[in-house]
Amino acid sequence: MQDRSLSRRAVLASATVVAASATGVVSATATPAAAHQRDRRLRRIISRMSVEAKIGQLFVPYFYGASATSPSQFDQDRNLRELGVRTVAELIAKYHLGGVIYFQGWTNNLHDPRQIADLTNGIQRASLSLPTPIPSLISIDQEHGVNVRIGSGATQLPGAMALGAGRSLSDARTAGRISGTELAALGIHQNFAPVADVNVNPANPIINVRSFGADPREVGRMVAAQVTGYQQARVVACAKHFPGHGDTGQDSHTELPVITHTREEWERIDAPPFRAAIAAGVDSIMTAHLQVPALDPSNEPATLSPTILQGVLRGELGFDGVIVTDALNMQGVRTKYGDDRVPVLALKAGADQLLFPPDIDVAYHGVLAAVRSGEITEDRLDESVLRILRVKDKAGLLSGSPYVSPKVVDRVVGARAHRLAAARIAERTTTLLVNRGGALPLRRGQRKLLVVGASPAFPTDATRSTVPELANVFEELGYRTTHLATGRSPDAATIDEAVAAARGRDAVVVTTENVGATSAQRTLVSRLLATGVPVVHLAVRNPYDIAHLDDVRASLASYCWTEVELRAAARVIAGRVDPRGRLPVPVPRADDPDTVLFPSGHGLSYRR
């Protein structure tokens, strides 16, 4: 977590007032006659559905395994233990599911594009075998940057704060379109992105670089551009986390945060990106598990608040698309109610899709009991099912085949043109914060490098990590490198080893991740500076790190450590490209957190 001494007040002071019209984006909607005809067709489908099938359309659970019908025995055992079935095909049949969500790693869903395509096709076969055959809306959190699910074989793109540093609506839209095109080729038609939260709290432990920045107007513009890009690829975009998760020092995965903004502050800071997303025609919006007393004095979590979802989001902001809950296994929404009541209350509040219940059987039967008792009417179910079918229809799932082609997967996913575009976009995001005495770019004689420092593993591949991968990139650029991963908390012996390794080098590139006031990373950088060898600092996550590193002569921010960002940063350090990124957040001083060290918009260039 970022050190709390960096004040949110310094960042709040820079938040800009914006109106939704400032985005300049006009929603492309169907004519009233066409929408009426579509809804008549979809209501005919709903009329053939049982109550049980309607309830199933609302749920989006996780599952284990890389195959719909024949996962490994280990994954079958996990499914049986947690879900009561052996396979996702059985899960779909048992609960009439309307969709599922893919994860990387812990659920073992995602390995490579061909495997993902086979999994998708197996899920669609199971969905079309239901009494009322309706294709699944397959979802994912492919935000890029620090939060990415599909790694191997797919194009990696800069994350939100990096794109915010690039300040290019065209790049943001292109990134969304590339990501969406590859997801659609894999049969994934709902992406829980972009993040519409305005990160005005440097200590935010959960949003941070997942946000486009701290300026509501700029965040709104970038959100609208990404929504447009995704939906051009016929992927359902999802702006999150309503009504705004950008000013909290708590993580809603583990506790229930409270947003203390006044109503005026909410209108000025949090609302504009969601208004911009709605103006751009966003198809879905995800709720946040947090309290906002200024919007709902009852202090219900927003996910369970009719005042916030129906009164503010639907009533005031005019959103009539799909409202998705954030994951229902998160502690922020489970603090007051049992797992059988949370989905019922979310539906009564106005939600449509129920994401990731901790126990699908408990959640499903909780909703079923509420319908049978009359607490939730069948008409209310029909409202949500209609909204879900609308986005399935818009994504092309209700017309033609929902299956994906291996040939299309091979041609589209990770295409050379996509990778080249991603590399160029990333190069426009790397931000040069400090360059005293023209320390960068590296000079011709500086060929022997030590790459050292924090070395977080790649988000989708734990076998690859920052320091050795960055060293490899410098090798490709013609440098002779050695490397030493010292981690986020190097001990004295490790720091001594790094100092010894710096001797005889022409320059040192030191990476940091989330430096705080008492961080041993500060000691590492200080000791390296004392060697007299030129030191280049690269913050591979939070741009706020520089506030704790007073004496560095060269400092850059990459906003993430995936390969595309590391390559861009190395090329900037080497002088192959000019740094063009500008801070999308202000960086407060560490010793005086109410004073801005570097304002939003700060970024240096090599060009004179």
Side-chain angles (χ1 to χ4, degrees):
M1 184 182 300
Q2 177 71 24
D3 184 70
R4 299 292 177 90
S5 66
L6 294 182
S7 171
R8 58 184 281 277
R9 292 194 297 274
V11 186
L12 278 167
S14 73
T16 305
V17 180
V18 62
S21 60
T23 64
V25 178
V26 179
S27 174
T29 58
T31 65
H36 179 70
Q37 287 294 107
R38 175 204 61 201
D39 284 357
R40 285 185 61 187
R41 173 168 51 87
L42 299 180
R43 286 193 175 98
R44 285 196 293 269
I45 297 174
I46 295 171
S47 70
R48 298 194 293 269
M49 299 171 68
S50 66
V51 168
E52 291 80 3
K54 292 176 182 179
I55 293 172
Q57 282 293 308
L58 312 182
F59 281 98
V60 186
Y62 71 96
F63 65 94
Y64 295 108
S67 166
T69 55
S70 56
S72 69
Q73 188 62 52
F74 176 69
D75 288 327
Q76 288 188 47
D77 291 344
R78 290 199 291 174
N79 282 327
L80 192 60
R81 183 168 59 252
E82 296 184 30
L83 304 173
V85 295
R86 287 181 170 80
T87 70
V88 66
E90 293 174 9
L91 189 70
I92 290 167
K94 183 174 181 179
Y95 297 108
H96 315 272
L97 294 178
V100 293
I101 183 169
Y102 287 166
F103 286 99
Q104 187 269 346
W106 68 278
T107 58
N108 197 33
N109 297 150
L110 307 171
H111 294 281
D112 59 71
R114 277 291 190 102
Q115 171 269 318
I116 297 169
D118 288 343
L119 174 60
T120 294
N121 286 339
I123 286 170
Q124 297 298 7
R125 280 191 291 270
S127 298
L128 295 181
S129 298
L130 294 173
T132 305
I134 299 173
S136 282
L137 185 63
I138 298 173
S139 305
I140 200 166
D141 279 305
Q142 185 82 342
E143 295 174 15
H144 292 280
V146 299
N147 203 25
V148 62
R149 307 302 183 197
I150 304 174
S152 177
T155 301
Q156 302 302 299
L157 290 145
M161 192 168 283
L163 291 171
R167 306 288 176 117
S168 168
L169 299 185
S170 175
D171 282 352
R173 186 167 48 249
T174 298
R177 186 169 60 249
I178 288 172
S179 180
T181 299
E182 296 194 4
L183 290 175
L186 294 166
I188 302 168
H189 286 281
Q190 184 175 35
N191 191 20
F192 295 132
V195 170
D197 304 313
V198 182
N199 200 79
V200 292
N201 189 341
N204 195 320
I206 188 60
I207 303 302
N208 215 284
V209 294
R210 295 168 61 198
S211 164
F212 288 104
D215 183 324
R217 180 178 185 275
E218 289 301 318
V219 173
R221 283 158 45 87
M222 301 300 281
V223 165
Q226 285 249 285
V227 165
T228 300
Y230 277 116
Q231 295 187 176
Q232 284 174 344
R234 299 189 82 178
V235 165
V236 178
C238 182
K240 62 185 185 184
H241 307 78
F242 189 83
H245 210 315
D247 188 11
T248 175
Q250 299 166 294
D251 183 350
S252 53
H253 288 84
T254 57
E255 51 192 325
L256 179 59
V258 179
I259 300 295
T260 59
H261 289 179
T262 65
R263 178 66 191 233
E264 186 278 332
E265 286 175 325
W266 180 81
E267 290 280 2
R268 177 167 56 88
I269 297 168
D270 303 289
F274 291 100
R275 293 185 187 277
I278 293 167
V282 72
D283 290 319
S284 62
I285 290 178
M286 182 180 286
T287 67
H289 303 327
L290 42 74
Q291 297 171 330
V292 190
L295 299 184
D296 184 357
S298 76
N299 281 335
E300 287 285 9
T303 299
L304 308 182
S305 170
T307 302
I308 291 175
L309 299 192
Q310 294 183 50
V312 179
L313 181 54
R314 293 216 190 277
E316 296 180 24
L317 272 62
F319 179 64
D320 192 38
V322 172
I323 296 178
V324 190
T325 70
D326 205 345
L328 297 182
N329 73 325
M330 294 165 60
Q331 195 59 36
V333 79
R334 302 171 74 190
T335 55
K336 295 175 65 176
Y337 306 103
D339 292 337
D340 60 332
R341 292 298 297 162
V342 167
V344 173
L345 296 173
L347 288 172
K348 292 176 71 175
D352 302 302
Q353 281 186 307
L354 303 170
L355 178 64
F356 202 143
D359 187 320
I360 180 65
D361 194 68
V362 167
Y364 180 91
H365 284 99
V367 174
L368 182 59
V371 174
R372 286 175 173 167
S373 72
E375 183 180 7
I376 294 176
T377 67
E378 194 165 351
D379 285 346
R380 172 66 190 88
L381 285 185
D382 290 354
E383 289 177 15
S384 287
V385 174
L386 178 60
R387 290 191 183 101
I388 292 165
L389 292 185
R390 282 173 182 161
V391 297
K392 288 187 177 185
D393 190 49
K394 188 174 179 180
L397 290 170
L398 302 185
S399 57
S401 171
Y403 299 114
V404 297
S405 162
K407 290 183 179 179
V408 173
V409 169
D410 291 345
R411 185 175 71 249
V412 171
V413 180
R416 184 173 183 272
H418 290 174
R419 293 177 184 270
L420 288 173
R424 299 293 85 79
I425 291 171
E427 288 173 356
R428 292 188 282 270
T429 68
T430 305
T431 306
L432 181 61
L433 301 175
V434 177
N435 194 22
R436 297 189 181 102
L440 289 178
L442 294 176
R443 293 169 175 77
R444 288 187 178 182
Q446 294 176 295
R447 308 307 298 175
K448 295 186 295 182
L449 303 182
L450 169 66
V451 181
V452 66
S455 191
F458 279 17
T460 58
D461 186 354
T463 67
R464 302 175 67 188
S465 62
T466 304
V467 166
E469 292 293 335
L470 185 57
N472 288 340
V473 175
F474 278 115
E475 288 278 351
E476 293 173 10
L477 293 173
Y479 293 88
R480 289 174 287 165
T481 65
T482 57
H483 66 268
L484 175 64
T486 56
R488 288 179 59 180
S489 303
D491 58 22
T494 302
I495 293 173
D496 287 343
E497 184 180 359
V499 169
R503 297 192 183 103
R505 301 285 99 185
D506 296 321
V508 175
V509 177
V510 58
T511 60
T512 64
E513 181 195 8
N514 297 9
V515 177
T518 61
S519 173
Q521 295 179 78
R522 296 184 70 192
T523 305
L524 171 66
V525 174
S526 179
R527 291 281 307 280
L528 290 170
L529 288 169
T531 66
V533 178
V535 173
V536 177
H537 164 245
L538 174 63
V540 296
R541 185 179 177 120
N542 293 340
Y544 310 110
D545 286 5
I546 184 60
H548 297 283
L549 305 172
D550 299 331
D551 297 327
V552 295
R553 297 182 63 210
S555 177
L556 305 97
S558 64
Y559 310 98
C560 190
W561 59 90
T562 52
E563 184 174 358
V564 68
E565 283 101 341
L566 293 181
R567 286 189 172 278
R571 287 175 61 79
V572 168
I573 291 168
R576 301 295 179 89
V577 293
D578 190 57
R580 293 173 56 181
R582 291 181 289 152
L583 279 173
V585 293
V587 175
R589 291 178 60 98
D591 58 351
D592 182 11
D594 292 331
T595 301
V596 172
L597 176 65
F598 294 116
S600 182
H602 171 78
L604 305 177
S605 169
Y606 297 149
R607 296 174 182 173
R608 297 291 186 264

